[in-house]
Amino acid sequence: MPAGASAYDFYLQVQQLDPGNTQAAAGIQILVMQLVERARDALRQRSFGEVNSLLNRADEIAPGNPLSKEVRDQLQREQTRARQDVTLDGPGAQTVTLPVKELGARSDTMVEMLNAIAQRIREHQLRVVIVARSDAEGRWIYSQLRQAVPGYRVRGDIKLGNPPRLLLQKNP
């Protein structure tokens, strides 16, 4: 940055004048290494969007760079892990959207879905926040979860909101 007056632009100009210039190639590699290092720092902070942005810039400068590929692979693993992680609260809570039409009809499909979720709640000892459009809807969802796991106390809260969904969280 800025475009046309960055170190990268100057290295490119040198390479155009002297295609075999090793200092220009080394300078570009240093820029890529700096971007990849910044991407690693962002990955440690779980700033996945920033990681992607930095790696995209590194790929523009040096397509196929193995350092960039290594961090991109780590990013994919961390994103997968983040989707599987269930945290106590906040943006890391796992959200399960409930289909409005099925929920409104209290269909067999909805009951089956809630049964499967209840099994997961019991297996991982999760807490659930039920976000429902009405108190009655929230109580129905809770009753379905409770009936699916007899003898297990489903812990959670009901909150009014839209769209209807379940937030699955680790018990403290």
Side-chain angles (χ1 to χ4, degrees):
M1 298 277 185
S6 67
Y8 175 66
D9 292 323
F10 291 127
Y11 289 134
L12 283 182
Q13 288 174 7
V14 170
Q15 283 189 323
Q16 287 174 348
L17 296 172
D18 180 11
N21 189 298
T22 56
Q23 289 178 331
I28 289 173
Q29 184 61 26
I30 288 170
L31 292 175
V32 170
M33 288 170 44
Q34 289 172 343
L35 287 168
V36 169
E37 188 57 37
R38 286 176 50 201
R40 282 188 176 127
D41 289 341
L43 186 58
R44 280 189 280 279
Q45 296 172 5
R46 297 176 74 91
S47 299
F48 299 144
E50 185 179 353
V51 174
N52 250 334
S53 177
L54 290 164
L55 293 178
N56 288 343
R57 285 175 43 203
D59 288 342
E60 287 174 14
I61 292 172
N65 186 292
L67 292 174
S68 180
K69 183 187 178 333
E70 175 186 328
V71 176
R72 196 169 296 281
D73 290 346
Q74 290 173 345
L75 171 63
Q76 289 177 345
R77 284 192 301 274
E78 284 303 311
Q79 286 176 317
T80 299
R81 188 174 302 144
R83 282 190 293 271
Q84 293 170 347
D85 282 352
V86 180
T87 61
L88 179 60
D89 56 61
Q94 187 174 20
T95 301
V96 178
T97 304
L98 301 175
V100 175
K101 183 178 176 185
E102 299 291 329
L103 181 59
R106 297 185 178 185
S107 71
D108 291 341
T109 304
M110 175 80 329
V111 171
E112 289 174 25
M113 180 181 181
L114 292 171
N115 284 344
I117 293 168
Q119 299 304 322
R120 202 159 98 216
I121 289 170
R122 181 179 59 188
E123 181 182 338
H124 298 286
Q125 305 225 339
L126 302 175
R127 187 173 182 282
V128 62
V129 175
I130 300 167
V131 179
R133 297 169 293 179
S134 69
D135 185 61
E137 183 178 77
R139 289 177 185 278
W140 181 81
I141 293 169
Y142 181 75
S143 71
Q144 294 304 307
L145 293 172
R146 205 179 70 226
Q147 288 174 20
V149 286
Y152 179 79
R153 183 171 172 217
V154 176
R155 298 178 187 268
D157 292 316
I158 299 172
K159 297 190 183 224
L160 296 181
N162 204 8
R165 60 195 179 279
L166 302 177
L167 303 174
L168 304 178
Q169 308 167 325
K170 281 187 181 176
N171 269 317

